[in-house]
Amino acid sequence: MSNNNETAVAEDEEVELAEVAPVRNEATGIITVTCGANVSTFGNISGRSIGALRQDLGDVLGIQPGAKAIASGEEVNDDYITVDGDRIEFIKESGTKG
Amino acid sequence: MKIKVIGIGGIGGALLPALTRYLNFAYNGSEITLIDGDSYEERNNQRQEFDELGYKAEVTAERLRPLFNNLLFVFKNEYVTPGNVYEIIREDDIVLMGVDNHATRKLVSDRCEDMETVTLISGGNDFTDGNVQMYIRKNGEDITLPIANDFHPEIMEPADRNPADVGCGELAESEPQLVIANNAMAAVMLSAFYSYLQGKVTYDEIYVDILTGNSRAVNRR
């Protein structure tokens, strides 16, 4: 998964990959929801399920029925409960026409 | 350089003028093959540029040939099928694909996965949004993801059919498309092509939404 939170690490310093490349916005409490080209950030939706987000944000973000959901790098089902810092992506299908 | 352009419809037709102009001056001597089994009809006028009816690949190649003397134009008036994909897509090719069905996308992706070195840039759109996928394979190793991958099951297991398998009596009216969306995808494909030539690709795909004005490059590896 893409990640924009890389931090500088000294060459001789051994760190866990997760520390260098976190996928959650833990410090900010923000949840990011992405679908296709569109990204929205929310400060007050943690604790909601993926299924609820799919329903509430479907029209706003163009989430297709049955779209795969990824939470902070892992595929999840509709029962997954979001936590502060999650990066959620509803995978948009490839465009069909041309 | 050998370039294969599969699909000379809304997206393929939109990217060819800029692609051939760029190649003519930057990579003269390149061979560019246009591949499509479809023909221009009057109704295509809404989205596509052509000056005569006939096979899209042939008509377009003949129209561009006198404009760009430094390029060798080849055309194939046929759809890509399991019977010809190995002949059409060869080692070291750069393939730009703007087809209108996932069955062909799957076929071409699978062919590329069997090869040592090939680059596939595939664009597709719905009415106001779409994406461009970039598959780079080098010396038998995937540098980016095949376009048929776990994130895109609609391509892994296409519900539609190769147009070569659809009889004339079965041809359904195509869903409406927007010429502006076709052009947006063509522009992103050209950008991806240029980025590849510069060795700067860092993404597997780019999503575009022309209504919101957003685009997003994604690295899925």
Side-chain angles (χ1 to χ4, degrees):
Chain A
M1 294 295 291
S2 63
N3 152 52
N4 294 318
N5 294 332
E6 293 175 354
T7 55
V9 178
E11 282 190 10
D12 60 352
E13 183 177 356
E14 290 188 5
V15 294
E16 293 293 325
L17 186 62
E19 293 178 13
V20 175
V23 293
R24 288 187 170 167
N25 300 306
E26 287 178 344
T28 61
I30 288 174
I31 291 179
T32 304
V33 184
T34 301
C35 183
N38 301 309
V39 183
S40 290
T41 56
F42 302 90
N44 60 352
I45 62 169
S46 64
R48 306 209 68 202
S49 69
I50 290 293
L53 291 183
R54 188 190 295 275
Q55 192 166 1
D56 292 347
L57 301 177
D59 287 342
V60 172
L61 291 178
I63 301 170
Q64 293 152 320
K68 273 193 183 188
I70 308 285
S72 301
E74 301 289 331
E75 185 174 351
V76 295
N77 61 27
D78 278 10
D79 295 331
Y80 175 83
I81 303 298
T82 57
V83 298
D84 280 349
D86 263 340
R87 292 178 184 266
I88 308 294
E89 180 180 2
F90 292 97
I91 307 287
K92 194 165 187 67
E93 288 186 2
S94 287
T96 306
K97 311 308 288 183
Chain B
M1 188 181 298
K2 292 198 173 185
I3 308 285
K4 306 284 169 68
V5 181
I6 301 175
I8 315 299
I11 294 177
L15 70 84
L16 273 166
L19 176 69
T20 48
R21 185 171 297 278
Y22 174 69
L23 291 172
N24 190 64
F25 293 99
Y27 290 89
N28 68 69
S30 293
E31 179 182 289
I32 180 162
T33 303
L34 281 60
I35 302 134
D36 199 325
D38 199 8
S39 298
Y40 285 120
E41 301 172 37
E42 288 295 342
R43 65 186 177 87
N44 294 137
N45 237 326
Q46 194 175 27
R47 291 186 297 114
Q48 300 170 41
E49 181 172 348
F50 54 96
D51 47 20
E52 61 180 286
L53 301 182
Y55 281 108
K56 291 182 178 180
E58 182 172 355
V59 167
T60 305
E62 295 305 330
R63 180 164 61 84
L64 294 172
R65 193 191 308 277
L67 301 175
F68 303 114
N69 294 319
N70 293 329
L71 301 180
L72 174 63
F73 283 90
V74 181
F75 61 85
K76 290 185 182 291
N77 297 327
E78 50 194 289
Y79 294 112
V80 178
T81 67
N84 64 19
V85 67
Y86 283 83
E87 177 203 337
I88 287 176
I89 302 174
R90 310 302 292 267
E91 288 292 344
D92 299 316
D93 277 352
I94 299 173
V95 183
L96 289 96
M97 179 165 67
V99 298
D100 62 359
N101 64 91
H102 288 325
T104 302
R105 292 188 179 96
K106 164 72 168 160
L107 176 64
V108 171
S109 185
D110 287 353
R111 163 53 178 158
C112 291
E113 277 194 78
D114 276 345
M115 300 170 73
E116 285 293 303
T117 299
V118 66
T119 297
L120 170 62
I121 304 170
S122 175
N125 58 261
D126 296 308
F127 198 66
T128 57
D129 60 17
N131 68 328
V132 171
Q133 291 174 271
M134 167 73 89
Y135 178 27
I136 302 171
R137 187 164 172 80
K138 196 167 184 179
N139 299 322
E141 183 182 335
D142 286 340
I143 308 301
T144 60
L145 287 182
I147 69 169
N149 61 62
D150 289 338
F151 295 96
H152 290 288
E154 71 279 5
I155 299 179
M156 290 275 279
E157 297 178 23
D160 53 25
R161 295 160 67 189
N162 190 305
D165 296 332
V166 179
C168 291
E170 298 178 71
L171 285 172
E173 191 66 29
S174 295
E175 291 174 22
Q177 291 190 60
L178 192 60
V179 62
I180 296 167
N182 291 154
N183 273 265
M185 296 314 125
V188 174
M189 288 178 69
L190 289 166
S191 302
F193 173 67
Y194 184 77
S195 181
Y196 166 73
L197 294 179
Q198 303 308 309
K200 299 288 188 186
V201 174
T202 58
Y203 49 81
D204 295 280
E205 63 181 308
I206 302 177
Y207 287 102
V208 178
D209 186 325
I210 66 171
L211 286 182
T212 61
N214 292 326
S215 65
R216 184 173 70 97
V218 183
N219 179 339
R220 296 206 181 280
R221 284 155 285 134

